Amino acid sequence: MKLNWGMIGGGEGSQIGPAHRLGALADGNFSFAAGALDADPEKGRAYAQRLGVAADRAYGDWREMLEGERSRADRVDLVTVATPNSTHFEITKAFLEAGFHVLCEKPMTMTVEEGEEIVRVARASGKICAVNYCYSAYPMVREMRQMVATGQIGQVRLVVTNFSHGHHGNALDADNPRVRWRYDPAMAGVSGQFADCGIHALHMASFVVGDQVDRVSADFASTIPSRVLEDDAMVNFRMSGGTVGRLWTSSVAIGRQHGFDIQVFGETGGMRWASEQPNQVYYTPVGGRTQIMEKGESGLSDEAARLSRVAIAHPEGFPLAVANIYVDLAAAIRGEKRDGLPMAEDGLRSMAAVHAAVASAKDGGAWVDARPPMFRS
Ligand code: NAI
């Protein structure tokens, strides 16, 4: 039985909308049944119908969609929230309270309090609230995680991760409306680049190391002076098990494209993965030669094999990583247990880290507790 899927945001021309549609529909688990795709109701209705959604389920806005769907026998099983950040909280909360499963884009909320509220509402409703940390669903990221968990590089001493690109590095383009809002507190919240890209890197560090971030010390800079929020951040962190963490995130690193990578250094080996070569992990055992491990080759973990879709040497990329999130969501909705699906708790941890990093940067890099209050006891 196919599940019914609905989407809010991700309208025509949006950045992330196509990846969700490719991901959700890739494996035959979901039918695209309903949508409120655009800030402009008419555009949203028309685009949804062009994508095959029935006219009576091509909604003008999310409230109309909530009312339209809640009483239907064939109502959507899962709602994806892919709108701008400041709207995530109220939409996600309303759909969870009405008994829908939700996949929310990152950052899940704007504040730690809102993040805690989403965790509480999700727990009380018994519904799944996942957050789209989709890079964690690349097969070779799962391989790294498995290698760490099974002790193949020993105790992890150090994790170093970057998410630094140069696409907002042109000062002459800083007033372009698609760029400017990201550095405007009214639209973006307390943090610019760290909340936008840095939290993917921080989530990845926790995911691969298998441990949570305890505290952070941050240095933020607005290298283009008209920007109120940071376009560059260096964040040191410590994990609860003692792992030392370093994170650089930037949007002014001209020449770097996607610029997301992670290196994990343990007592008996090191590993490196980069989103621009997502099918390889570089692994070096202590005292040994560097080996390139390739998606699809024999001998990888069951998890890496399960999430790899096309044969060895055929490239796999971002939409299939998003598809892996939807595969596990479909399984979870059907009652199977799925490890590794990023959940509301992860979204909350990110928000706590963002607010801690902002506080630290304002206080000259002082170490600040990065744990959400509800997880401290
Ligand atoms: P965008 O600005 O390219 O597109 C946003 C879309 O949402 C537009 O179609 C707009 O018309 C629509 N929209 C705005 N307000 C709406 C409302 N109230 N109801 C319905 N539709 C509405 O934004 P982009 O880059 O696609 O980002 C959307 C979200 O996805 C953000 O939260 C962003 O952080 C996240 N994102 C996540 C990525 C990932 O790797 N997980 C990558 C890129 C974005």
Side-chain angles (χ1 to χ4, degrees):
M1 268 280 284
K2 276 200 176 193
L3 299 165
N4 283 324
W5 175 61
M7 185 175 194
I8 301 167
E12 191 165 22
S14 66
Q15 191 185 163
I16 198 67
H20 280 286
R21 285 186 286 276
L22 290 166
L25 304 178
D27 294 276
N29 286 314
F30 293 99
S31 296
F32 190 10
L37 302 185
D38 205 288
D40 177 327
E42 282 322 307
K43 274 191 178 166
R45 284 195 189 99
Y47 189 48
Q49 288 176 68
R50 267 190 282 136
L51 292 171
V53 173
D56 65 331
R57 300 177 85 176
Y59 298 101
D61 66 51
W62 67 266
R63 288 187 176 83
E64 196 182 303
M65 178 163 153
L66 184 61
E67 287 320 306
E69 291 297 310
R70 72 156 93 226
S71 51
R72 293 183 72 105
D74 61 349
R75 68 191 217 153
V76 288
D77 297 287
L78 171 70
V79 176
T80 292
V81 180
T83 50
N85 307 352
S86 58
T87 62
H88 293 173
F89 172 67
E90 65 170 351
I91 302 175
T92 298
K93 182 167 183 252
F95 276 86
L96 284 170
E97 283 174 341
F100 294 90
H101 300 294
V102 176
L103 171 61
C104 182
E105 262 306 340
K106 46 53 61 178
M108 183 175 80
T109 58
M110 301 287 273
T111 68
V112 181
E113 293 73 22
E114 288 170 354
E116 292 198 331
E117 177 71 359
I118 294 291
V119 168
R120 272 192 292 269
V121 170
R123 287 177 179 176
S125 70
K127 297 293 156 187
I128 295 165
C129 181
V131 179
N132 194 30
Y133 288 116
C134 45
Y135 301 99
S136 64
Y138 275 104
M140 294 312 281
V141 171
R142 297 291 169 112
E143 182 66 19
M144 288 178 86
R145 182 183 195 230
Q146 179 75 10
M147 286 178 73
V148 171
T150 53
Q152 292 182 57
I153 62 166
Q155 179 72 33
V156 178
R157 293 170 173 152
L158 183 63
V159 56
V160 180
T161 181
N162 303 294
F163 198 154
S164 299
H165 63 79
H167 301 297
H168 303 155
N170 182 355
L172 300 176
D173 193 43
D175 265 344
N176 171 345
R178 291 203 66 169
V179 174
R180 195 181 48 215
W181 75 265
R182 294 171 189 277
Y183 305 97
D184 173 357
M187 302 283 285
V190 294
S191 162
Q193 178 62 15
F194 186 58
D196 194 25
C197 293
I199 60 172
H200 271 303
L202 201 67
H203 175 266
M204 177 75 85
S206 287
F207 187 79
V208 170
V209 174
D211 198 5
Q212 299 304 336
V213 174
D214 251 10
R215 57 203 160 97
V216 297
S217 158
D219 179 28
F220 280 14
S222 302
T223 66
I224 293 186
S226 62
R227 289 178 177 160
V228 176
L229 298 176
E230 86 288 354
D231 54 17
D232 186 280
M234 188 63 86
V235 181
N236 285 307
F237 57 95
R238 294 289 185 276
M239 306 187 96
S240 54
T243 300
V244 173
R246 319 264 184 224
L247 184 157
W248 174 44
T249 188
S250 185
S251 66
V252 295
I254 294 170
R256 286 180 65 110
Q257 293 300 329
H258 197 240
F260 184 13
D261 56 43
I262 180 164
Q263 290 174 276
V264 192
F265 304 105
E267 289 170 334
T268 60
M271 290 187 287
R272 174 178 187 271
W273 175 89
S275 70
E276 290 170 39
Q277 292 92 34
N279 300 325
Q280 289 93 32
V281 164
Y282 287 69
Y283 163 59
T284 313
V286 65
R289 288 202 172 128
T290 298
Q291 304 163 28
I292 302 174
M293 299 161 55
E294 183 82 25
K295 172 200 74 71
E297 69 188 16
S298 59
L300 298 182
S301 63
D302 291 348
E303 191 65 355
R306 178 177 78 84
L307 295 179
S308 172
R309 313 304 194 78
V310 290
I312 187 165
H314 292 170
E316 250 170 66
F318 186 73
L320 284 182
V322 176
N324 287 336
I325 297 284
Y326 280 95
V327 166
D328 281 353
L329 268 170
I333 291 169
R334 292 177 172 131
E336 293 171 32
K337 191 170 164 2
R338 281 299 155 97
D339 243 12
L341 194 56
M343 301 297 286
E345 285 78 0
D346 299 297
L348 166 60
R349 284 196 176 93
S350 298
M351 283 329 292
V354 165
H355 283 262
V358 170
S360 168
K362 283 189 180 144
D363 193 15
W367 285 95
V368 175
D369 194 332
R371 297 168 302 164
M374 75 188 288
F375 296 161
R376 281 184 197 175
S377 51

